[in-house]
Amino acid sequence: MIDTKSLTQLGAHVETPLSPEAAVLETVPFSRGDGPPAIVRFTCPEFTSLCPVTGQPDFAHIVIDYAPDALLVESKSLKLFMTSFRSHGAFHEDCTVMIGRRIVAVTKPLWLRIGGYWYPRGGIPIDVFWQTGAPPEGAWLPDTGVAPYRGRG
């Protein structure tokens, strides 16, 4: 059984952090085992942040794939972190890369990639991609499943 005593958010009532900087990403141990690394995917199809200039909401479909080494990001803490962007003003590129870098900082994965598929503002969708390097050899990397923009239906 995994020791979860250090987790402060799972199983507790926790208010949404006021900012991504204030959000706490928690981790749990992971045992990789032998063979090719596992790929873990988080999909956030209703991600929201604010335009730093107008304060208007921006919407994205975020897909995070990572190959954990010794730590997994705890999913409730990730959800609270992602939700904290609803009151955060930043450009699409900054939000997307910030998410990837924060997960890397706490989990130290073998590899991570993030795709931010942003819905149009002014008629132009912006897609932002960031990864830590080449994917691990032997890992199965499925397509992100997000179609090129055609209404993102």
Side-chain angles (χ1 to χ4, degrees):
M1 182 110 180
I2 294 176
D3 181 8
T4 58
K5 292 179 188 139
S6 65
L7 298 176
T8 63
Q9 300 171 92
L10 184 62
H13 174 76
V14 181
E15 297 293 326
T16 299
L18 297 176
S19 71
E21 295 82 10
V24 176
L25 279 173
E26 296 185 324
T27 61
V28 293
F30 177 68
S31 179
R32 281 188 44 219
D34 295 331
I39 300 296
V40 177
R41 172 170 288 169
F42 289 106
T43 304
C44 185
E46 298 176 349
F47 181 84
T48 309
S49 66
L50 298 176
C51 173
V53 177
T54 67
Q56 294 295 308
D58 287 323
F59 303 93
H61 184 145
I62 305 287
V63 179
I64 303 161
D65 291 323
Y66 76 107
D69 189 11
L71 296 171
L72 299 169
V73 66
E74 192 282 312
S75 60
K76 181 175 181 180
S77 72
L78 179 65
K79 178 176 68 173
L80 290 164
F81 171 61
M82 299 294 275
T83 303
S84 73
F85 280 86
R86 290 182 178 170
S87 58
H88 179 73
F91 291 113
H92 304 338
E93 297 84 350
D94 293 329
C95 287
T96 305
V97 174
M98 177 188 213
I99 294 165
R101 286 188 172 146
R102 279 289 300 278
I103 295 169
V104 167
V106 298
T107 65
K108 298 172 182 44
L110 301 172
W111 173 81
L112 178 139
R113 76 174 173 190
I114 182 168
Y117 301 87
W118 294 83
Y119 291 86
R121 288 186 52 90
I124 300 174
I126 298 174
D127 296 339
V128 181
F129 307 100
W130 184 80
Q131 68 181 28
T132 58
E137 187 174 330
W140 178 53
L141 298 174
D143 182 84
T144 61
V146 181
Y149 186 77
R150 290 188 61 91
R152 290 247 156 87

